[in-house]
Amino acid sequence: MKNISIYHVGSEDVVEVLPYVLDFRRKLFPMLDPNQVPKDLKAFEQVYLQNRAGTFLQARTADGILIGVIGMLNYDYRFPHLDIDAKKTVEVARLFVDPKYRRTGLGTELFQSLLVVAQEKQIERLYLHTHPFLEGAYEFWLQQGFQLIEYRDESGFLTIHMELMVNESKSVVVLEDILEQEKHSTI
């Protein structure tokens, strides 16, 4: 994307990024108590910045305006019914894109940047969950290569559990690149 930079959140950015994330969470999940801050956000720096498997990325305009974020953290196996084995697994979390930048490819750019970090960290599996009331979320993650693991009620919320094997995603990208090159070479 033109004039937009995506880079790691550093300690100096937390003072702006954390309220941004909390505000987005309140808007997307108005049914949740805004005073109940999730564990990962309470310990933001430890979970996302200081943990070897964690990371948090931010997207900013050329003039420094924060317009999107995405993170990954160690998967905590809090859904015991899921058949997630001992592969090196992280959870993709907190993909939030400013409404003015939705449908521009920014969400895909943020995820692709996160995927590169996951590959560098030798992560084997990306896990995430989303909800049907988040319009377009399931379709977005399918487009990114995620596959459905399970769909079920989790404490009163219909929840879609998904995964992406990181090495398999490389194969998909390579195949798409080869097909694109072949298309251009035959023109």
Side-chain angles (χ1 to χ4, degrees):
M1 294 194 70
K2 217 173 190 182
N3 299 319
I4 292 176
S5 298
I6 296 174
Y7 52 95
H8 290 271
V9 169
S11 294
E12 68 280 2
D13 301 309
V14 174
V15 68
E16 181 182 4
V17 170
L18 189 53
Y20 179 88
V21 170
L22 289 168
D23 185 52
F24 250 98
R25 183 176 176 272
R26 275 189 288 276
K27 290 174 184 168
L28 288 175
F29 301 97
M31 70 292 282
L32 298 177
D33 180 353
N35 298 316
Q36 294 268 337
V37 178
K39 290 186 298 186
D40 68 309
L41 298 180
K42 279 184 185 174
F44 186 89
E45 289 194 50
Q46 293 85 359
V47 170
Y48 292 108
L49 308 186
Q50 296 168 2
N51 187 301
R52 247 178 25 97
T55 200
F56 212 84
L57 302 177
Q58 61 187 326
R60 292 185 180 265
T61 62
D63 51 353
I65 297 170
L66 182 61
I67 58 170
V69 295
I70 191 171
M72 71 181 185
L73 64 154
N74 278 327
Y75 178 63
D76 63 4
Y77 296 90
R78 69 188 176 281
F79 301 108
H81 55 81
L82 295 178
D83 186 23
I84 294 181
D85 59 23
K87 286 182 175 26
K88 193 170 180 182
T89 301
V90 296
E91 181 173 350
V92 177
R94 315 288 178 205
L95 173 59
F96 300 132
V97 173
D98 184 293
K100 291 180 275 189
Y101 289 88
R102 290 187 185 146
R103 308 254 186 258
T104 66
L106 180 57
T108 296
E109 290 290 326
L110 278 162
F111 173 69
Q112 290 301 315
S113 296
L114 187 78
L115 183 57
V116 168
V117 174
Q119 291 166 341
E120 290 169 356
K121 293 180 180 238
Q122 299 178 336
I123 302 299
E124 295 176 86
R125 174 191 289 114
L126 299 176
Y127 160 82
L128 66 82
H129 66 271
T130 189
H131 306 283
F133 65 83
L134 296 172
E135 188 177 326
Y138 177 66
E139 293 77 12
F140 171 81
W141 291 115
L142 285 174
Q143 290 172 349
Q144 305 311 310
F146 280 79
Q147 295 181 356
L148 177 68
I149 301 173
E150 187 175 82
Y151 180 80
R152 77 180 321 183
D153 187 303
E154 301 284 354
S155 303
F157 288 99
L158 289 176
T159 302
I160 303 166
H161 299 277
M162 304 179 81
E163 72 178 353
L164 173 72
M165 302 310 288
V166 174
N167 289 334
E168 291 174 19
S169 69
K170 284 183 194 176
S171 301
V172 171
V173 172
V174 170
L175 178 60
E176 287 174 359
D177 291 344
I178 291 168
L179 293 173
E180 188 66 25
Q181 289 172 358
E182 286 179 6
K183 185 170 97 177
H184 289 295
S185 66
T186 58
I187 295 177

